[in-house]
Amino acid sequence: QVTLRESGPALVKPTQTLTLTCTFSGFSLSTSAMCVNWIRQPPGKALEWLARIDWDDDKFYKTSLKTRLTISKGTSRNQVVLTVTNMDPGDTATYYCARSGVWGTSCTNWFDPWGQGILVTVSS
Amino acid sequence: DIQMTQSPSSLSASVGDSVTITCRASQGINNWLAWYQQKPEKAPKSLIYAASSLQSGVPSRFSGSGSGTDFTLTIRNLQPEDFATYYCQQYNNYPLTFGGGTKVEIK
């Protein structure tokens, strides 16, 4: 069974850097065709894809946020880390990690399953 | 970026009804479209990928269709557990983008 869980601070101040960790089980990010994504959702609003990291360390970012985002594999083999610099109240959202679907021998860009999400509030 | 427009933004229906949600892409995305269901305070759940392929474990009353720019999600014989918000998502191009959501409420 594949599961993912997000962890990190619930509150950050404007201009600070947010670091979130996705801890997963049921698959290995060292295995071909495994990829993990970060997606966020401001309160009452729609979903916004942020970044993806692949088993071979390939990385993809939302273009408009690329200068502020870094996705990486964690120090533990079952973790992925997202950092967001220069946080702003507009970054207040529930942040989700999700595995990419698998299409043949590649990962694709639908998301299944998702973690439960973590609400991050940006406020002084 | 590819814009995904869902309609309606909300609808009211009764148990047993059939409902159809539309998703339109601002440019052609072949059939690279997914649908998700989200209940309040919960993470989204994948329902459909590649426009019409049902995820394992999803009831057959859910179906998807379309190609190019116009897509639909149909729920037949609406059940109490289907009242939720539904999102479409294109994965033909980066950045991956979602529709604004359609809230299905109980009439």
Side-chain angles (χ1 to χ4, degrees):
Chain A
Q1 181 191 6
V2 173
T3 64
L4 306 98
R5 180 181 288 264
E6 305 82 356
S7 59
L11 179 67
V12 298
K13 291 181 167 49
T15 76
Q16 286 186 334
T17 293
L18 171 67
T19 300
L20 295 173
T21 300
C22 175
T23 303
F24 54 85
S25 63
F27 69 98
S28 171
L29 201 47
S30 302
T31 302
S32 177
M34 292 294 116
C35 307
V36 173
N37 299 263
W38 284 95
I39 299 138
R40 71 180 179 181
Q41 185 174 35
K45 296 188 177 179
L47 299 155
E48 177 184 31
W49 173 80
L50 299 176
R52 171 181 129 173
I53 187 166
D54 294 2
W55 79 99
D56 60 359
D57 217 35
D58 238 354
K59 299 166 187 175
F60 303 86
Y61 294 100
K62 176 165 181 155
T63 310
S64 60
L65 293 171
K66 187 173 183 177
T67 59
R68 299 175 53 210
L69 299 175
T70 303
I71 192 170
S72 61
K73 295 179 182 178
T75 51
S76 297
R77 297 179 75 173
N78 65 334
Q79 291 183 331
V80 168
V81 176
L82 179 76
T83 62
V84 187
T85 61
N86 194 24
M87 290 288 283
D88 175 86
D91 296 312
T92 294
T94 296
Y95 286 75
Y96 297 98
C97 59
R99 193 183 71 170
S100 286
V102 179
W103 184 264
T105 58
S106 303
C107 52
T108 183
N109 283 322
W110 75 75
F111 312 116
D112 179 58
W114 298 56
Q116 66 184 20
I118 181 170
L119 175 61
V120 178
T121 301
V122 184
S123 175
S124 53
Chain B
D1 297 6
I2 296 176
Q3 307 302 315
M4 305 300 293
T5 304
Q6 284 184 238
S7 60
S9 56
S10 66
L11 64 89
S12 295
S14 301
V15 173
D17 285 352
S18 286
V19 300
T20 296
I21 298 167
T22 296
C23 179
R24 175 164 289 174
S26 60
Q27 64 189 72
I29 59 170
N30 299 293
N31 68 334
W32 303 127
L33 184 100
W35 289 97
Y36 302 89
Q37 176 194 66
Q38 186 177 34
K39 296 182 180 179
E41 310 306 317
K42 297 292 187 182
K45 172 189 171 185
S46 177
L47 297 176
I48 287 171
Y49 62 94
S52 60
S53 296
L54 212 59
Q55 283 285 5
S56 175
V58 174
S60 58
R61 62 180 182 272
F62 291 89
S63 63
S65 65
S67 185
T69 60
D70 295 314
F71 301 85
T72 60
L73 172 70
T74 299
I75 313 170
R76 292 183 171 80
N77 186 23
L78 206 59
Q79 296 298 297
E81 61 268 28
D82 300 336
F83 293 94
T85 300
Y86 294 85
Y87 292 95
C88 62
Q89 177 236 330
Q90 68 81 20
Y91 54 100
N92 188 69
N93 283 73
Y94 286 104
L96 313 176
T97 48
F98 291 85
T102 296
K103 187 173 185 179
V104 177
E105 298 176 297
I106 301 174
K107 185 183 288 184

